[in-house]
Amino acid sequence: QAQLVESGGGSVQAGGSLRLSCVTSGRSFATYTLGWFRQAPGKERQFVGATNYNGGRAIYSDSVKGRFTVSRDSANNRVYLQMDYLKPEDTAIYYCAAAPYLSVGVSVYDYWGQGTQVTVSP
């Protein structure tokens, strides 16, 4: 059974950094886009960033562009989200997800992790 498991969440002050990790298992995601979404309380799930099957291309939401970086280590079935210059509005549960192609659309992603909490204090 395919699984995506996130780790690395936590609490940090504004201006700090965190690195999230997601490990995949149960099937090959070698041809899949791997991405990150987030959901704050009372809000819809929001696209953060994603990288294509070979890590050669990445896309980001405007709200994180220049601060967050998505990368993947295909040999170890992992995708990462490096988050720098964090702001209180980045506080949310962050989800790792997999899709058959590069997209910002929630509905395109077939596989999801359980999420990891990120809290940024002022």
Side-chain angles (χ1 to χ4, degrees):
Q1 184 174 355
Q3 279 194 311
L4 289 77
V5 179
E6 305 92 340
S7 62
S11 298
V12 65
Q13 287 191 319
S17 297
L18 280 175
R19 189 192 196 204
L20 305 184
S21 177
C22 171
V23 60
T24 66
S25 63
R27 64 153 292 158
S28 173
F29 287 95
T31 62
Y32 271 67
T33 281
L34 294 175
W36 293 90
F37 287 75
R38 66 187 181 186
Q39 189 165 18
K43 295 190 176 182
E44 292 186 350
R45 195 164 294 191
Q46 175 190 42
F47 174 77
V48 174
T51 182
N52 70 337
Y53 74 100
N54 66 358
R57 186 182 170 204
I59 55 175
Y60 300 92
S61 68
D62 287 344
S63 61
V64 307
K65 199 173 295 182
R67 299 188 297 122
F68 290 11
T69 303
V70 179
S71 60
R72 70 189 290 168
D73 177 357
S74 296
N76 291 298
N77 302 315
R78 289 180 180 271
V79 62
Y80 302 99
L81 180 65
Q82 177 67 40
M83 304 185 294
D84 299 316
Y85 306 106
L86 282 159
K87 304 175 181 180
E89 51 264 43
D90 294 319
T91 295
I93 298 174
Y94 282 71
Y95 298 90
C96 173
Y101 55 89
L102 196 59
S103 174
V104 305
V106 172
S107 61
V108 175
Y109 288 76
D110 299 320
Y111 301 93
W112 292 85
Q114 293 299 307
T116 185
Q117 176 71 46
V118 171
T119 303
V120 185
S121 57

